[in-house]
Amino acid sequence: MAAPSTHTMDFFERQDQARRSTRRLIAYFMLAVILIILSIYIAGITIFFGFNVNADPELPFQWWNPDLFLWITGATLCVVVIGSLYKIFALSKGGEVVARWLGGRLIDSSTSDPQERRLLNVVEEMAIASGTPVPSVFLLEEEKSINAFAAGFTPADAVIGVTRGTLQILSRDELQGVIAHEFSHILNGDMRLNIRLIGVLNGILVIAMIGYVILSGTRTSSSRKNGGGAAAILAFGAALLVIGYVGVFFGKLIKSAVSRQREFLADASAVQFTRDPDGIAGALKKIGGLAHGSRIQNPKAEEMSHLFFSDGKHGKASPFLSMRNRKPPVQTHSAFSFMATHPPLEMRIQRIDPSFDGTFPAVHFPSKKALETRDPKELAASAAQTAAKSAASAPSGGAPAVPLIPMIPQQMTQLFGKLTEAHLAYATLLLAGLPSRLTARVREPASARIIIFALLLSHDSKTRRAQFQLLNESKDPLVSSETTLEASTLIDRCPPEARLPLIDLALPALRTLSLSQYQDFTGLVEELMKADQKIDLFEFTLQHILRRHLDPHFNQTRPSAARYGSLTPLTHEISLLLSRLARAGQDGEEQAQQAFAQGVKELKGSRLKLSWLEQEDGFEALSKALDRLNRVTPLLKRRLLRACGVCVSHDDQVTLREGELLRAIADALDCPMPPFLPGQTLRSAEIPNSKSQIPNKIQH
């Protein structure tokens, strides 16, 4: 007997699987539309002859009527396609639309509310540890149940939403387990699939809605006049209503089957991320013991049911919870359990905690008085305990003065989309070690801009004077050379590897700017970068991160879909990318050409005719090249990123600056790359153990 496969899918294979799931969904959708067309045609031809509408009484019954079939086919396709595209287009603005539809309120990134601050801290830690931009977080204030969701097309426009019950009932470890589950959906490519499911079902639902409108209108008119025509229209409306809802029924079956499997994967990933099965298991158990369960009261909960952490429609507590020694089925689905978008609570918990006996603890939503009298120090103590736990589990030691990362590029791609306990501990300690004044400012919209400006200040005195003049001429009264220099002083007290996390931390605050403020901000960023008449690697990295994660929000641009199944049409873009990376990673032109040749060799199976670019194009050309390369399939991105790793590590080392550029390129390709951990070796794709060098304390 063959041994069972131990292969674990990496980030790119999971993304490719999600892409194949989307293709299967489209195939099912097309099959459903064909069946709907045939059903409407059969109903139409039967009603047409049955009620003898506008027909000769002597005309014999015929099943095949080409004109009627073409008319029904065209009308049905128009209705279904327009209905689907309308919904998908409405959701294309990102996860924020979904959050607001569900009644969410954007949590201010500088909030002083202890519970909201705890939630944002957990989200920030997860984002930095996974290499994704820090998402905006929404609170469903009217929902007393325990639930959460992640929504968006890509990590760039993703949002996290949680209910009031999640915020007020769960401990920090349980909250971390829930957020880790949602980050798994972000990393596994589930969000785009979920939104397309909403669009597909809406297109089919429109058929039923048209039938309902016909029925309503015909009943009114038929009360005033009788005739075969009115009866036929009434019957046809009823047929459309039935056919539409039958189509929706089978569409929901597909949605539920896809969703249930993704939920199991997200649960397992959350345990892997946190190494704390009690966290997510505890959250699921509290759902079972809470009277509100995981039910979402918002009327759009049914449409969005597959987005949630737990079943948002049927999740409710059993009436037998007050009875002792009972093991009630808390997640009370209907008899058609195959329609459920989530597996039963008991099954999910037992996969995480095999010792679970089915008994749920009694959980009550805290009273208003209890919430008002809750000591904020309790939440602070919880955060301190988490930091202590991270310090205990994280590798210790001091970071090297000039960080160098030994690298085997062929194994580098195992890190993408991979969030580990070590990365989470590293992110927690890094954030805890930042000066408190700096973290407070980076979360304020006005001062977050100043932090970005401070990151761009040059060490050259002449260039810095020119930058100070630009800052003092700014239209914003809060921006000046003095405030920027003060922020720069705080940044200088942080380790170099804190620069990218600071940019990520600023993103939620920067998203709250007005359009005019954002335009002034990006204009000043560009002027500060060009103050010395050149752009270095870090400046390009910073600008590209800002453009990639803020432009879609302010300019309402739609995310690009995979278009290229081959690298052949993109030879110039790949040549430009590898040439730029080779020069960035090597000191001399000869060494750079050798690094380029190694990168080309990594892509040898693609039969590409890549050429070394003697004249270096600007960073703007590189940015445009990355935009096109982002439209290749996930498995091609893996090969491309391996070639990039070869270029920057031709000397077997990667400096911090090169690592930042590599992570920016990965980010541009929608491939989140966790931070390199000091002491991490990629020769075996290992995460550092307790003897590796990760700073556990950053001097203030």
Side-chain angles (χ1 to χ4, degrees):
M1 181 181 293
S5 173
T6 58
H7 173 70
T8 301
M9 287 193 297
D10 65 13
F11 167 80
F12 302 95
E13 290 170 324
R14 293 195 301 269
Q15 291 283 315
D16 190 63
Q17 183 188 57
R19 186 167 170 266
R20 290 198 304 271
S21 296
T22 300
R23 288 204 299 264
R24 285 197 298 270
L25 174 65
I26 293 173
Y28 292 145
F29 176 58
M30 293 174 64
L31 178 62
V33 171
I34 291 172
L35 293 176
I36 288 172
I37 290 172
L38 292 175
S39 299
I40 294 176
Y41 172 76
I42 292 172
I45 198 74
T46 303
I47 293 169
F48 183 83
F49 281 99
F51 287 90
N52 202 22
V53 179
N54 297 327
D56 187 338
E58 303 299 325
L59 186 67
F61 180 81
Q62 293 180 338
W63 279 110
W64 179 241
N65 187 319
D67 293 336
L68 181 62
F69 181 78
L70 288 175
W71 186 89
I72 288 176
T73 299
T76 303
L77 287 175
C78 285
V79 168
V80 173
V81 171
I82 291 174
S84 296
L85 291 179
Y86 168 78
K87 181 65 73 172
I88 292 175
F89 181 79
L91 296 171
S92 66
K93 297 178 182 178
E96 182 176 345
V97 175
V98 176
R100 295 198 183 279
W101 278 3
L102 291 169
R105 169 182 66 82
L106 178 64
I107 298 179
D108 187 347
S109 57
S110 61
T111 181
S112 59
D113 179 88
Q115 292 178 329
E116 293 180 358
R117 181 74 265 153
R118 181 185 65 167
L119 170 63
L120 294 185
N121 288 344
V122 170
V123 171
E124 289 171 353
E125 292 162 9
M126 288 284 175
I128 291 173
S130 61
T132 59
V134 178
S136 299
V137 183
F138 285 79
L139 177 63
L140 309 186
E141 292 193 274
E142 303 302 320
E143 306 290 351
K144 295 184 178 181
S145 60
I146 299 174
N147 224 325
F149 66 88
F153 272 92
T154 67
D157 62 21
V159 304
I160 297 289
V162 302
T163 60
R164 172 63 67 181
T166 301
L167 202 62
Q168 296 183 343
I169 296 174
L170 299 187
S171 68
R172 195 184 199 278
D173 287 344
E174 292 164 347
L175 181 63
Q176 190 179 62
V178 171
I179 298 301
H181 174 103
E182 298 308 325
F183 264 86
S184 172
H185 286 309
I186 295 175
L187 295 172
N188 291 336
D190 296 339
M191 296 188 303
R192 186 189 293 263
L193 176 62
N194 287 339
I195 286 182
R196 285 176 174 164
L197 279 168
I198 295 172
V200 165
L201 288 176
N202 187 73
I204 298 175
L205 180 62
V206 171
I207 297 290
M209 293 169 62
I210 291 175
Y212 177 79
V213 170
I214 291 174
L215 277 175
S216 301
T218 306
R219 281 200 301 266
T220 303
S221 61
S222 63
S223 63
R224 294 190 295 267
K225 64 178 182 178
N226 297 317
I233 294 174
L234 186 67
F236 188 67
L240 287 180
L241 185 66
V242 172
I243 292 169
Y245 275 113
V246 169
V248 170
F249 173 79
F250 284 103
K252 288 182 178 180
L253 284 182
I254 298 170
K255 178 180 80 170
S256 299
V258 171
S259 178
R260 285 195 298 270
Q261 291 304 313
R262 309 304 285 184
E263 292 304 315
F264 279 133
L265 175 60
D267 284 346
S269 297
V271 174
Q272 181 186 28
F273 293 167
T274 62
R275 294 296 179 188
D276 183 12
D278 292 339
I280 187 170
L284 291 169
K285 291 174 184 177
K286 284 186 176 179
I287 290 175
L290 180 66
H292 298 281
S294 57
R295 286 196 312 275
I296 301 297
Q297 302 298 327
N298 189 284
K300 290 188 179 291
E302 162 63 22
E303 186 180 9
M304 311 287 180
S305 59
H306 58 299
L307 301 181
F308 290 106
F309 169 70
S310 185
D311 195 329
K313 181 182 179 183
H314 299 290
K316 61 181 180 180
S318 166
F320 304 106
L321 276 175
S322 60
M323 300 174 62
R324 293 187 177 183
N325 301 321
R326 296 298 297 267
K327 301 175 182 179
V330 176
Q331 201 84 2
T332 56
H333 300 296
S334 67
F336 300 100
S337 60
F338 48 82
M339 292 289 292
T341 55
H342 293 68
L345 277 179
E346 296 89 344
M347 186 180 297
R348 292 176 68 182
I349 296 171
Q350 286 170 354
R351 286 200 176 193
I352 301 168
D353 178 12
S355 65
F356 177 62
D357 63 359
T359 303
F360 294 91
V363 179
H364 303 285
F365 190 84
S367 65
K368 184 177 180 180
K369 182 178 180 181
L371 292 173
E372 290 174 349
T373 57
R374 178 178 288 183
D375 188 354
K377 293 181 180 179
E378 176 187 343
L379 297 176
S382 175
Q385 291 170 2
T386 300
K389 185 192 300 184
S390 299
S393 61
S396 60
V402 182
L404 294 174
I405 307 160
M407 173 177 282
I408 295 294
Q410 290 79 0
Q411 297 175 343
M412 175 193 72
T413 51
Q414 296 181 27
L415 294 177
F416 288 93
K418 188 174 184 179
L419 198 164
T420 67
E421 181 187 17
H423 284 106
L424 190 55
Y426 175 75
T428 302
L429 292 172
L430 182 67
L431 289 174
L434 295 176
S436 57
R437 289 171 59 197
L438 181 61
T439 54
R441 293 187 180 188
V442 81
R443 291 163 176 157
E444 289 276 359
S447 52
R449 287 174 285 177
I450 296 174
I451 298 299
I452 300 298
F453 299 150
L455 287 168
L456 292 170
L457 287 182
S458 173
H459 293 291
D460 177 72
S461 58
K462 181 179 178 181
T463 303
R464 181 170 283 209
R465 283 196 299 271
Q467 290 176 323
F468 282 165
Q469 183 176 352
L470 290 169
L471 291 166
N472 290 328
E473 293 173 354
S474 170
K475 300 176 183 177
D476 191 334
L478 298 177
V479 176
S480 67
S481 58
E482 290 80 9
T483 56
T484 308
L485 184 60
E486 182 183 358
S488 178
T489 303
L490 293 173
I491 294 172
D492 288 341
R493 291 160 57 185
C494 303
E497 60 267 23
R499 295 188 301 177
L500 286 189
L502 280 173
I503 300 172
D504 288 334
L505 288 174
L507 292 176
L510 294 174
R511 291 189 192 105
T512 64
L513 298 175
S514 67
L515 179 59
S516 61
Q517 287 176 326
Y518 176 67
Q519 291 171 341
D520 292 341
F521 165 69
T522 53
L524 186 51
V525 165
E526 190 162 352
E527 289 178 346
L528 292 173
M529 290 169 54
K530 294 180 178 178
D532 58 356
Q533 306 302 315
K534 61 182 180 181
I535 297 177
D536 63 23
L537 290 180
F538 176 73
E539 289 171 340
F540 166 75
T541 300
L542 182 147
Q543 185 183 48
H544 196 78
I545 290 174
L546 293 179
R547 283 181 177 177
R548 176 147 186 80
H549 299 302
L550 295 179
D551 274 4
H553 176 79
F554 288 99
N555 299 328
Q556 303 298 325
T557 55
R558 298 187 64 187
S560 59
R563 175 182 174 184
Y564 301 104
S566 167
L567 296 176
T568 304
L570 302 167
T571 52
H572 175 74
E573 286 78 6
I574 297 172
S575 297
L576 172 62
L577 174 61
L578 296 185
S579 297
R580 168 63 72 173
L581 281 171
R583 284 192 173 94
Q586 309 301 323
D587 294 330
E589 189 76 2
E590 182 179 350
Q591 292 87 348
Q593 290 187 25
Q594 292 174 358
F596 175 85
Q598 289 297 316
V600 172
K601 185 178 179 181
E602 185 65 29
L603 293 170
K604 60 183 178 181
S606 303
R607 299 180 181 178
L608 297 174
K609 295 181 179 180
L610 302 175
S611 56
W612 171 257
L613 299 183
E614 295 290 346
Q615 185 174 0
E616 190 173 41
D617 291 339
F619 279 111
E620 188 64 32
L622 176 59
S623 183
K624 292 179 180 178
L626 288 171
D627 288 341
R628 289 199 71 195
L629 291 171
N630 188 35
R631 305 190 72 177
V632 303
T633 59
L635 296 182
L636 289 178
K637 288 181 181 180
R638 177 169 61 184
R639 299 190 63 191
L640 189 59
L641 286 167
R642 281 180 178 173
C644 291
V646 168
C647 282
V648 298
S649 64
H650 179 62
D651 54 1
D652 293 329
Q653 300 287 344
V654 177
T655 66
L656 178 63
R657 290 171 64 251
E658 294 165 351
E660 288 177 338
L661 177 61
L662 191 59
R663 291 185 64 203
I665 290 171
D667 178 75
L669 299 179
D670 283 330
C671 301
M673 187 176 186
F676 289 114
L677 303 180
Q680 176 178 346
T681 173
L682 300 187
R683 296 189 180 279
S684 58
E686 292 178 347
I687 302 301
N689 57 27
S690 59
K691 296 182 180 180
S692 301
Q693 295 178 331
I694 289 184
N696 60 3
K697 185 176 181 181
I698 300 172
Q699 296 296 325
H700 285 207

